[in-house]
Amino acid sequence: MTRSATRDDLSALPVEVAPSLLGALLETVVQGERVVVRLTEVEAYHGRGTGALPDPGSHARMGPTARNATMWGEPGHLYVYLSHGIHSCVNVVCGPDGVAGGVLLRAGEVVEGADVAERRRLERRGAVRSPRDLARGPGRLGDAVGLRHPVHDGIDAVTGAERAGARAHLLLPTEPPARIASGPRVGVAGLAGTDAFPWRFWIEGDTTVSAFRWGRGAAEAAARQGDTPSVLD
């Protein structure tokens, strides 16, 4: 069972909100085509001045910019950014007034609209190896739900207001998943990608969760701290 997310649900720090998004549904309707993804893996990111621990891995670590403006806005909007020049990645904006933060939607299971999601994936990246890979990883998830940077950046997933021919709606689970795991964020460079920031959360045992990989310099930073994160396939 799920219920529509509210601003209040998302007004705490991202690291506090992130686990509550596991099992949530993100519904999008883009150009009349509907896809629903059940979220299985997320990562929290804090902006400058957010929380007690500065986050060196966040787009908002240095303060407001044109790129990260949505992260400083109202909770419940979606920060859609471009990764490596091609991948549109989706984040739920979270946090108290006046601070920046977001939760990256890293992976999920397509529960409705799989045919639409697969066609979008094929158009953008070629073959889909298996159904579990439709939204396994943040770029794939962005492709599957059809939200694109920059036209959909800032779309409101609480009110469902239309933006550039798309609507988004976030529904939270009424009961949390039975088993939630946490650990370092995937592919984040340096200290920000180690157990100093165990801000990645996933549904333990779910096959759609993405594999762990070190970011640049993160393995070396972890070795200096003695970190030994779990590695999922």
Side-chain angles (χ1 to χ4, degrees):
M1 297 292 291
T2 58
R3 61 173 180 82
S4 295
T6 67
R7 306 275 183 226
D8 286 345
D9 290 325
L10 307 170
S11 64
L13 296 178
V15 73
E16 298 168 356
V17 172
S20 72
L21 297 182
L22 294 173
L25 301 179
L26 178 64
E27 176 190 38
T28 62
V29 180
V30 181
Q31 302 299 332
E33 295 185 310
R34 180 173 178 267
V35 170
V36 181
V37 172
R38 180 181 66 90
L39 304 178
T40 60
E41 181 186 12
V42 297
E43 290 178 343
Y45 290 87
H46 288 187
R48 187 182 68 184
T50 304
L53 183 63
D55 181 1
S58 172
H59 289 175
R61 63 188 179 276
M62 303 299 289
T65 66
R67 181 195 194 198
N68 67 33
T70 299
M71 291 183 73
W72 296 85
E74 192 176 36
H77 293 260
L78 301 183
Y79 169 48
V80 182
Y81 73 89
L82 198 63
S83 174
H84 302 294
I86 52 175
H87 307 309
S88 290
C89 300
V90 181
N91 302 253
V92 177
V93 175
C94 304
D97 289 342
V99 302
V103 177
L104 174 65
L105 307 184
R106 168 157 278 283
E109 175 193 10
V110 178
V111 294
E112 294 187 47
D115 55 336
V116 175
E118 183 170 4
R119 190 194 73 240
R120 289 171 177 163
R121 287 285 322 285
L122 290 171
E123 289 172 351
R124 295 194 172 100
R125 300 205 225 179
V128 177
R129 292 180 297 175
S130 68
R132 80 166 185 164
D133 289 322
L134 277 178
R136 188 177 185 236
R140 292 172 178 175
L141 188 149
D143 287 346
V145 300
L147 298 179
R148 305 302 296 166
H149 171 87
V151 294
H152 298 132
D153 181 29
I155 193 169
D156 193 340
V158 170
T159 67
E162 184 174 338
R163 187 183 188 97
R167 294 182 182 274
H169 188 201
L170 180 65
L171 301 105
L172 300 180
T174 54
E175 295 290 338
R179 296 188 301 167
I180 295 176
S182 66
R185 296 173 296 192
V186 176
V188 178
L191 183 68
T194 73
D195 263 336
F197 294 87
W199 292 359
R200 172 187 177 224
F201 303 89
W202 65 91
I203 298 176
E204 193 171 359
D206 195 290
T207 61
T208 64
V209 172
S210 58
F212 179 81
R213 61 178 175 80
W214 293 110
R216 177 174 45 84
E220 293 80 0
R224 289 192 293 270
Q225 298 183 87
D227 290 353
T228 54
S230 299
V231 178
L232 301 183
D233 184 13

